[in-house]
Amino acid sequence: MGLPPTGGGFWITVVVFCGVWSCSHAQISYSVSEELKKDSVVGNIAKDLNIDVQELQSRRFQVVAGSNKRYLDVNVKTGALFVVERLDREELCEGKQKCALHIEVMAQNPVKLYRVEVNVVDINDNAPVFPLQTLVKNITENVVPGDRFSLPGAKDLDVGINSVKSYVLSPNEHFTLDVQSYGEQSISAELVLHKALDRERESVIRLTLTAIDGGKPARSGTMAVIVNVLDINDNNPVFSKPLYKVKVKENVPSGTKLLTLTATDSDEGLNGDVVYSLVDQEGNSASSLFVIDSITGDITVKGKIDYEENPAIELRVQAQDRSLSPRHSHCKVLVEVEDVNDNAPEISVTLLMSSVSEDIKPGADVALITVSDKDDAKNGKVSFRISGHSPFQLQPSYKNSYSLVVSEKLDREQLSQHHVMVVANDEGSPSLSSTGVITVHVSDVNDNPPLFPAAVINIDVKENSPAGERLTTLTATDLDTGENAHVSYSLLDLEGSSTPVSTLMNINSLTGEVYTLQSFNYETIKRLRFQVQATDSGSPPLSSNVSVSVFVLDENDNSPVLLAPYSEAGSVSTESVPYSAEAGYFVAKVRAVDADCGYNALLSYHLTEAKGTNLFRIGSSSGEIRTKRRMSDNDLKSHALVVMVSDHGEPSLSATASVEVVVVESVERVQPSLRQVPLKEEAFSDLNLYLLIAIVSVSGLFLLSLAALAAARCCGSGGALGSCGAPVVTAHPDGSWSYSKATQQYDVCFSSDTLKSDVVVFPSPFPPPADAELISINGGDTFTRGHTLTSAGKVRQLARIH
């Protein structure tokens, strides 16, 4: 596809190549003339690549970094590739026949690369220039017509047709011009004597040599030639042949002989004695790499010959006699340099982005890699590969260019940066290689939630601890980095919870430290359950939860509470004992309860004051007051007893009950219920039946009173989240008791072989342990704290009276 010529004779040619590779790696080739004005349009990339112009801005269509970026740019509004800076072919490519600029154009979303080759075509903007403004030639008068005299060649910075194509000599009667061409870039001119010289007629001949290039219009340069006619030596040295050719390998050691030149002179003596020399050539620095022996004509190497700098070298050799008016002749020596594999491949990498997101899709371009080798033929043919396993792969684009693309899913948490080692090998013998390391940084995305060390966390807190106490520090770790790993904490209520956890607990959102907002009472709250959520600061944020159970540990903060009839503070209960009572006679039973748990609720009973004789004793665990011996006439008739009920907490708390025991004469005056020691008997008498009925009636009334009292206490102390109120004791028709404390239910039963009325309470569904602690209730009923006894395990009371 071509574009119409622009003004000033400039022209542009566009060629689009889309081969076996997709157009994302196509090469567009444009040809433009040098010296285009700034903002001149080279071509329309959007049209040539079949890309909608509307997508150029949204996809951030741009020329990526490179040495040629400063010359060309893309207009994202029109898709035009235009000149940013003046294109001077001679500055860009010096004397090369082909001058091409290679740029890469990148589009985002998705990332695609397009390669553009802009061939800069030479225009005839340079005139030929001679190395000298005036050339002086000394020529003897006896030269014969046909003799030749070398002239320095003109240099033209242009190439091809615009380089020097011909020479013209100003009209004269003695000399003509012989122009010789040795190829497109090699042309020389020699003066040829047309008519014999006569110094006496004309001693100085002034000529003008004009060099003309092949441009349209043509440009030219001139040099003045002054010929001094000398009247001496009339024979020139003659080389065995006008052109010598020789081959030499690059990097040959200094002093290596190339060839020997031979020139002969027909004259005798000094006029026939020939010396050799190399003619300095303007702009041909390679001639300094050789030296010629002036006597023998041997040409040897004195510098380093590099094929990559000069694949072919042209030498001008002069043979001159030793006469006072020397004559000389010239020949050419063409040195063809043979390449050896002395250059390792060169790797050039252009990263398309500073870091790669770990969620980048496979197939995306990451870097552009160019491989080159200065050697020629097989020595310059390069193979390219990635060394070792890598989540990237190479895709050839054109010539020795490759794209580094993602081939596998990346994970920053496993590896935050990849060092991709690439190896380039040429096909020389021996082969040379180069390695390069491309470091690809992987940037983080929020793909990991914060994680707690455990799914459930248990915390203990003592009851009555002050509000604001730090319970623990919860820490969640996040494998991400930066903001994606910045974790904040919050409290969550469990589903169905009646009390918001935010009223009981607080958490530091930055550190995860958990604090109490109030003091806890074990008798009200035994366990508090909630969740803590850890949320990162990513977008979108990720979170995870942990279940937290706070167990309130019991403290001994409740004193024992006496049950009726000894529950009224300051009151004294009166009990009667017959004078004839035997040792072990049952006097009374003191019962008490403690709202604490464990050892803090394990009660023991003691008599603190025993006036008179030592007549009574009390069971430390049952609370039963009994006689220690028979009465005597010396004993008092009234005994004031003080019973202390103490728990086993640290420090221990206690309560006291006052009991007055009166000694009476007649047994009939004493209630025959729980006053006597039960003895084993063989038959169940009518008296026992009456006594049993009386016991049940009294116990029922007593228990109803306790139930009413407990209900009143429960109503007055409502709780939440596992709160427990005052104990409730309920009598059953079968003679057993039920002891309940808020959400805890206890079944109470009487013993079958004594009148102790011990209460043993077991937790459902577990049986009482063998070493369970018995806690006294009502002075004789004992229970194991925290246990429940099912109705099937109740034992009915059997009262036996002797």
Side-chain angles (χ1 to χ4, degrees), residues 96 129 141 177-178 193 270 286 310 370 461 487 502 509 548 624 730 734 742 747 795:
K96 294 182 180 180
V129 178
E141 63 175 339
L177 193 63
D178 184 14
L193 185 61
L270 292 178
N310 298 286
T370 302
V461 59
V487 179
S502 59
S509 62
V548 180
E624 292 180 352
T730 305
D734 58 1
D747 286 340
V795 181

Side-chain angles (χ1 to χ4, degrees), residues 265 317 715:
D265 194 315
V317 181
C715 293

Side-chain angles (χ1 to χ4, degrees), residues 314-361:
E314 179 184 303
L315 301 178
R316 287 284 189 91
V317 181
Q318 175 179 278
Q320 180 177 295
D321 57 34
R322 295 179 180 270
S323 67
L324 296 178
S325 299
R327 299 193 66 172
H328 54 266
S329 61
H330 299 83
C331 73
K332 290 184 178 181
V333 179
L334 295 180
V335 180
E336 181 181 347
V337 182
E338 296 180 344
D339 182 48
V340 296
N341 193 26
D342 61 339
N343 290 282
E346 296 179 357
I347 302 173
S348 175
V349 179
T350 301
L351 289 175
L352 302 181
M353 53 194 78
S354 59
S355 63
V356 177
S357 177
E358 65 176 317
D359 63 349
I360 191 171
K361 298 295 178 61

Side-chain angles (χ1 to χ4, degrees), residues 73-139:
D73 204 349
V74 176
N75 188 328
V76 296
K77 295 182 178 181
T78 63
L81 181 68
F82 62 95
V83 177
V84 177
E85 186 175 331
R86 167 178 166 266
L87 297 175
D88 187 348
R89 187 186 186 284
E90 288 71 34
E91 179 182 347
L92 291 172
C93 303
E94 298 184 53
K96 294 182 180 180
Q97 290 296 315
K98 183 178 179 180
C99 182
L101 298 179
H102 295 89
I103 63 173
E104 291 76 37
V105 180
M106 181 177 72
Q108 300 283 352
N109 301 321
V111 177
K112 293 293 180 182
L113 282 177
Y114 303 93
R115 279 77 182 191
V116 179
E117 181 184 75
V118 179
N119 293 308
V120 182
V121 180
D122 183 52
I123 63 173
N124 193 25
D125 58 341
N126 292 282
V129 178
F130 286 93
L132 300 173
Q133 291 183 347
T134 301
L135 175 66
V136 178
K137 285 285 187 181
N138 296 319
I139 304 176

Side-chain angles (χ1 to χ4, degrees), residues 608-637:
T608 60
E609 297 182 17
K611 295 181 179 181
T613 59
N614 189 9
L615 182 60
F616 302 97
R617 62 180 174 83
I618 190 170
S620 63
S621 61
S622 64
E624 292 180 352
I625 301 174
R626 295 179 180 273
T627 59
K628 296 174 62 176
R629 57 180 173 78
R630 288 181 61 86
M631 300 288 181
S632 66
D633 295 335
N634 295 327
D635 292 327
L636 298 175
K637 300 301 180 181

